[in-house]
């Protein structure tokens, strides 16, 4: 025991222990940095001609196809949007899931409550406005620019209606600091620009 203490008191032993510790620290730090740089490079390097194989099928607008069943936005207490872009009162929803287009409340492709940047205060209006045929180029641009993190979310959607439901519901552009809305009055967005940041 005494011999061990004497050895540890010698400066050259402490120097060797310190040098080995420093070498271990530097090599592990450099390896971590290399991994981080490699991962970042893999995310940034993309073939400029590569287009993500999105499944989205866009509707044909005012086509003559007959729809016997409609999907709709389901969760609204008073309003619903069907896959044809009609917004109607819940009471005016037909048994097939479509809005009754003969009811006074039914309006197609309504952008009421939506701002020029594509952010709306009412979810159902966001979906309806997003379903307008002229929004197809904007949505295709979004899909091709979507970050890696969104691919799992948006590649699962099958068509224009599902894309609009998802886009209006899950816009990370609407929030700041991950817990507050940039604009609580226009938090449902289908557009490319985030809502204007309102002062608190």
């Amino acid at each position: 025991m005494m011999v061990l203490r004497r050895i540890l008191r010698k400066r050259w032993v402490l120097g060797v222990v310190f040098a080995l510790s420093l070498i271990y620290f530097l090599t592990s730090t450099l390896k971590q940095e290399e991994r981080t740089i490699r991962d970042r490079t893999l995310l940034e390097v993309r073939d400029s001609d590569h287009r993500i194989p999105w499944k989205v099928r866009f509707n044909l607008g005012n086509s003559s196809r007959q729809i016997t069943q409609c999907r709709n936005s389901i969760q609204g207490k008073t309003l619903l949007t069907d896959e044809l872009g009609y917004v109607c009162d819940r009471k005016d929803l037909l048994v097939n899931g479509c809005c009754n287009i003969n009811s006074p409340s039914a309006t197609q492709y309504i952008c009421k409550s939506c701002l020029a940047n594509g952010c709306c205060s009412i979810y159902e209006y966001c979906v309806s406005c997003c379903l307008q045929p002229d929004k197809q180029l904007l949505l295709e641009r979004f899909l091709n620019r979507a970050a890696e993190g969104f691919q799992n979310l948006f590649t699962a959607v099958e068509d224009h209606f599902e894309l609009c439901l998802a886009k209006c519901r899950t816009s990370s552009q609407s929030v700041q600091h991950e817990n507050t809305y940039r604009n609580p009055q226009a938090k449902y967005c289908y557009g490319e620009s985030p809502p204007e940041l309102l002062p608190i």
Side-chain angles (χ1 to χ4, degrees):
M1 193 70 168
M2 291 290 279
V3 176
L4 185 60
R5 281 186 187 166
R6 276 190 210 148
I7 291 174
L8 289 177
R9 281 187 194 156
K10 295 193 179 191
R11 287 187 176 171
W12 68 269
V13 173
L14 293 174
V16 169
V17 170
F18 176 76
L20 290 173
S21 300
L22 183 63
I23 290 169
Y24 173 77
F25 171 76
L26 291 174
T27 55
S28 63
T29 303
L30 288 173
K31 282 181 184 174
Q32 179 63 36
E33 185 65 25
E34 282 175 17
R35 277 195 297 268
T36 304
I37 290 170
R38 188 180 65 237
D39 292 347
R40 191 179 304 137
T41 305
L42 285 173
L43 286 175
E44 288 173 357
V45 174
R46 290 184 193 158
D47 183 357
S48 58
D49 294 331
H50 175 69
R51 290 178 69 87
I52 299 165
W54 302 99
K55 299 177 188 175
V56 176
R57 297 182 309 276
F58 288 94
N59 65 27
L60 302 174
N62 295 326
S63 69
S64 57
R65 66 189 174 110
Q66 292 294 315
I67 290 193
T68 54
Q69 291 288 118
C70 288
R71 294 166 295 162
N72 59 62
S73 57
I74 302 170
Q75 77 263 24
K77 284 184 181 179
T78 57
L79 292 176
L80 292 167
T81 305
D82 69 19
E83 65 183 294
L84 298 174
Y86 284 96
V87 176
C88 62
D89 292 338
R90 183 174 275 282
K91 65 180 176 51
D92 293 326
L93 193 69
L94 300 172
V95 292
N96 65 357
C98 301
C99 285
N100 178 357
I101 61 171
N102 297 318
S103 72
S105 73
T107 311
Q108 191 177 32
Y109 304 138
I110 186 168
C111 294
K112 189 173 161 184
S113 90
C114 297
L115 304 175
N117 65 357
C119 291
C120 314
S121 61
I122 297 171
Y123 175 72
E124 288 75 17
Y125 292 157
C126 177
V127 175
S128 179
C129 197
C130 174
L131 284 169
Q132 288 181 346
D134 66 354
K135 300 293 188 287
Q136 178 176 340
L137 286 176
L138 175 117
L139 293 169
E140 284 178 345
R141 215 168 34 239
F142 161 75
L143 289 174
N144 286 313
R145 286 186 196 158
E148 295 288 328
F150 290 127
Q151 283 194 31
N152 291 338
L153 177 64
F154 290 110
T155 53
V157 303
E158 294 287 339
D159 58 24
H160 192 176
F161 179 65
E162 288 182 12
L163 177 61
C164 288
L165 286 177
K167 186 87 170 74
C168 288
R169 188 182 302 120
T170 56
S171 177
S172 61
Q173 291 182 325
S174 300
V175 293
Q176 64 170 348
H177 311 306
E178 299 180 5
N179 62 0
T180 54
Y181 285 108
R182 292 175 61 86
N183 181 346
Q185 284 78 45
K187 57 188 176 184
Y188 306 108
C189 301
Y190 64 83
E192 294 176 294
S193 306
E196 182 182 343
L197 182 60
L198 293 185
I200 298 174

